[in-house]
Amino acid sequence: MSARADLEARLRAVGEERYHHRHPFNLRMHAGELSAEEIRAWARNRYYYQTRIPKKDSTILAKDGTDTEFRREWIGRIHDHDGEKPGEGGLELWLELASATGCDRDEVESLRFVLPGVREACDAYVEFVESHDLFDSVASSLTEMFAGDIMKVRIAAFEAHYPWVAAEGLRYFQSRTSQAPRDAAFGLSWVLDHADSPEDAARCVAALERKCEILWSLLDAVEAAARRPELVPHAEVRNDSAEDRTLVVLPERAVALNESARELLDLCDGEKSADALALEIAHRHPDAKTAYPDAHDFIAHMERAGVLACAASATAG
Amino acid sequence: MDTPRPLNLIAELTYRCPLRCGYCSNPLDWASVRDGLDSDAWGRVMHEAAALGAIHVGLTGGEPTLRPDLREIVAHAAAANLYPHLVTAGTLIEPAGLDPLIEAGLRSVQLSIQDSDPAASDAMAGTESFERKLAFARAVRARGLPILLNVVVHRGNVDRVDAIIALARELDVERLELANVQYYGWALLNREALLPSRAQLERARLRVEAARAESARPEILIAIPDYHRERPKPCMGGWGQKMLLVDPSGRVLPCHAAADLPGLEFWRFGERSLAECWGEAPGMNAFRGEDWMQEPCRSCSERARDHGGCRCQAFALLGDAAATDPACGLAPDRSAILAARDAAEGDGIRPIRHRATSAS
Ligand code: SF4
Ligand code: SF4
């Protein structure tokens, strides 16, 4: 096999093994097993990823000032995302999708209700592109090679299993079925043209693996947010009058809670998801700008401290 | 000085114990200390401790399940709004015997197992007990109570950390504490046979990290013993600060080993109120705060963190309870620690002298 064909095969193998089409959350989505709440949480959170794409592509464009053909091609991605005018483009289509699933469009656009883990994953992608050269950056975008297929599966799944999501909402997926393969074809041949050595090939594979990891962890975070926290059975919540605070008493330790932590803990009933709890808290305290991510961080922290136990999402098997 | 708030009551219900661990930190003359408090007296201890601000009570010993009135004592603890935790070797209670304790309000159990290897466990305990401990653990889990599994690690078992973790997982415990030997009492006599080498500890630490990466449950605690460190342990969160211990005779102490310190006067519950025994006994105040400190502790920036280390260790190794803990790298006299460290090098197993069955 030529080095070129060999590298292409290795990249495809990375996708086969590590692209998020194999993530349990996507598998459940495509099998029709997600609740409406999970679909909404996903649409709202994934919008943050969408907003990072033009940022990432602008960074890539700024990396090389000599390759006119590359720039001419790559700038098309930004146009695809932003549209030529208001009401057009991939970001707009994603907002329409989010609305069709029942999200509040303004809330989604505000980015106030983005899971900490999702934010971290998406920011890691932008940082990767900022801190790597053009070659690695283009290689990391090659997850597009696998995006066309997943879009087709997704459209079919939404039509079959989530008929309550209006068909107009699916236009983003439709647009990507053609854009992604076109962009991927360009990115792939550019990378293959520029990979001159086995070291380049290894870098390229590593960049794609890193990107797969980022997409995977985004879904990990969305999946975790559907879990339903509950006080562990042996915990005792009491007012510690001596120091005017709430204590959660556990074997050989006690965890002190402030007022807002107590408010959140009182809502944890083993029924509501972590995401629903964080949204409820955020809506109760509209002035607290970071209430939503703080609530998620608190739940994760309390789980590590052994105060909360989290059952799988209501629909997960 | 304001009297500190004791968060944790340690109720040593008896020094009697069917086991004979070579690392037992009970006093060498344990058999001369009688069980001095009946269950009603313990009940008063619980209520007075709660009034002082205590949250937890550890029912310990010796072996607390030797007390025929354990159920009443648990009920008193629950009535006092303390969180009752039973510290046991688990060899004496039949599964059905747990039910009345749970009904009385028992919330959690600390079970000590000596080793993952049945024969080695029995050898350390000085009695055949391993299988009974496992049966006890299963009975506790079947009733939904959390178990904190305590395994004292020493040079004879520290290389079996993997198997110990596997056992903890099999028993579905909440937390596994790979505890260091506290070198007082019987343990100090056996130090050469117990203190692991630095290399053994490093291997164990890597194993624990790997196990944590595999699964968050159980939580695993491991600490490098102060003998191998350059800073002392912040013993008990400070002398007479957070932990209030009542020994089987009713004596109120700041920790297990403090009764062995010469010249300290501690008071007995019953002769005075718990608040007096805790707040005013000369022994309790001997090392509270920082006034007692000598140099280098007196002017050291770490003193609020480690309180100058362990008083009992300073006395046991230097004969001066007010000295800087020799486990500290800044201590003027570290020869005892350094000699023990040298003696710990190499991995050989060494013979253990068991806790005596009666007063020695
Ligand atoms: S260390 Fe062993 S011998 Fe000592 S009290 Fe505990 S179980 Fe009994
Ligand atoms: S000198 Fe005393 S206070 Fe300073 S670190 Fe050592 S033991 Fe702690």
Side-chain angles (χ1 to χ4, degrees), chain B residues 172-254:
Chain B
D172 186 31
V173 307
E174 197 71 17
R175 188 169 97 195
L176 167 63
E177 180 170 8
L178 298 166
N180 290 311
V181 177
Q182 303 299 319
Y183 291 101
Y184 314 114
W186 295 93
L188 188 55
L189 291 181
N190 280 315
R191 189 177 59 200
E192 269 209 29
L194 294 171
L195 186 63
S197 70
R198 187 71 224 202
Q200 282 184 305
L201 289 164
E202 192 48 31
R203 287 199 293 273
R205 199 184 56 76
L206 293 175
R207 296 270 153 95
V208 166
E209 270 173 24
R212 283 179 184 145
E214 258 166 50
S215 159
R217 194 177 158 88
E219 181 188 357
I220 306 174
L221 305 184
I222 184 170
I224 299 297
D226 57 354
Y227 271 76
H228 283 294
R229 296 170 39 154
E230 295 307 307
R231 286 290 175 271
K233 53 187 189 250
C235 198
M236 304 298 158
W239 179 278
Q241 295 297 317
K242 297 191 168 131
M243 193 172 110
L244 188 165
L245 183 145
V246 181
D247 85 359
S249 73
R251 202 162 31 158
V252 176
L253 299 166

Side-chain angles (χ1 to χ4, degrees), chain B residues 42-244:
Chain B
W42 278 114
R44 291 195 300 279
V45 168
M46 308 284 174
H47 278 94
E48 292 185 33
L52 290 171
I55 293 164
H56 290 96
V57 57
L59 304 169
T60 179
E63 177 50 60
T65 58
L66 279 169
R67 296 271 314 213
D69 53 359
L70 184 58
R71 196 198 71 80
E72 287 79 57
I73 294 174
V74 170
H76 283 307
N81 202 24
L82 297 176
Y83 189 98
H85 176 66
L86 180 67
V87 180
T88 178
T91 61
L92 298 177
I93 309 191
E94 295 300 326
L98 276 166
D99 296 322
L101 298 179
I102 294 170
E103 274 158 37
L106 184 67
R107 301 306 296 260
S108 62
V109 171
Q110 177 184 310
L111 173 65
S112 55
I113 290 187
Q114 282 66 14
D115 208 310
S116 56
D117 175 70
S121 183
D122 291 349
M124 175 56 81
T127 87
E128 217 171 282
S129 51
F130 185 74
E131 291 303 332
R132 291 189 65 86
K133 285 166 180 279
L134 299 199
F136 174 75
R138 295 193 180 102
V140 173
R141 289 305 293 137
R143 286 160 178 78
L145 259 63
I147 297 178
L148 310 184
L149 184 64
N150 185 285
V151 180
V152 172
V153 290
H154 52 79
R155 55 191 295 125
N157 68 3
V158 66
D159 290 319
R160 283 192 284 276
V161 157
D162 279 342
I164 293 170
I165 293 169
L167 178 65
R169 291 210 167 122
E170 187 204 319
L171 296 176
D172 186 31
V173 307
E174 197 71 17
R175 188 169 97 195
L176 167 63
E177 180 170 8
L178 298 166
N180 290 311
V181 177
Q182 303 299 319
Y183 291 101
Y184 314 114
W186 295 93
L188 188 55
L189 291 181
N190 280 315
R191 189 177 59 200
E192 269 209 29
L194 294 171
L195 186 63
S197 70
R198 187 71 224 202
Q200 282 184 305
L201 289 164
E202 192 48 31
R203 287 199 293 273
R205 199 184 56 76
L206 293 175
R207 296 270 153 95
V208 166
E209 270 173 24
R212 283 179 184 145
E214 258 166 50
S215 159
R217 194 177 158 88
E219 181 188 357
I220 306 174
L221 305 184
I222 184 170
I224 299 297
D226 57 354
Y227 271 76
H228 283 294
R229 296 170 39 154
E230 295 307 307
R231 286 290 175 271
K233 53 187 189 250
C235 198
M236 304 298 158
W239 179 278
Q241 295 297 317
K242 297 191 168 131
M243 193 172 110
L244 188 165

Side-chain angles (χ1 to χ4, degrees), chain A residues 134-154:
Chain A
L134 185 63
F135 180 75
D136 288 324
S137 303
V138 174
S140 72
S141 76
L142 290 180
T143 43
E144 283 167 341
M145 290 162 65
F146 323 114
D149 285 346
I150 203 174
M151 289 303 154
K152 286 182 203 142
V153 173
R154 192 163 283 163

Side-chain angles (χ1 to χ4, degrees), chain A residues 109-160:
Chain A
E109 213 174 354
S110 76
L111 302 180
R112 265 187 73 195
F113 305 120
V114 177
L115 289 161
V118 168
R119 198 175 278 272
E120 201 180 298
C122 300
D123 291 350
Y125 184 29
V126 174
E127 275 154 32
F128 178 91
V129 169
E130 282 167 355
S131 60
H132 287 71
D133 69 8
L134 185 63
F135 180 75
D136 288 324
S137 303
V138 174
S140 72
S141 76
L142 290 180
T143 43
E144 283 167 341
M145 290 162 65
F146 323 114
D149 285 346
I150 203 174
M151 289 303 154
K152 286 182 203 142
V153 173
R154 192 163 283 163
I155 292 168
F158 269 73
E159 285 170 354

Side-chain angles (χ1 to χ4, degrees), chain B residues 17 19-21 23-24 26 61-62 89 355:
Chain B
C17 182
L19 272 48
R20 303 192 295 125
C21 303
Y23 50 67
C24 183
N26 282 177
R355 165 176 156 150

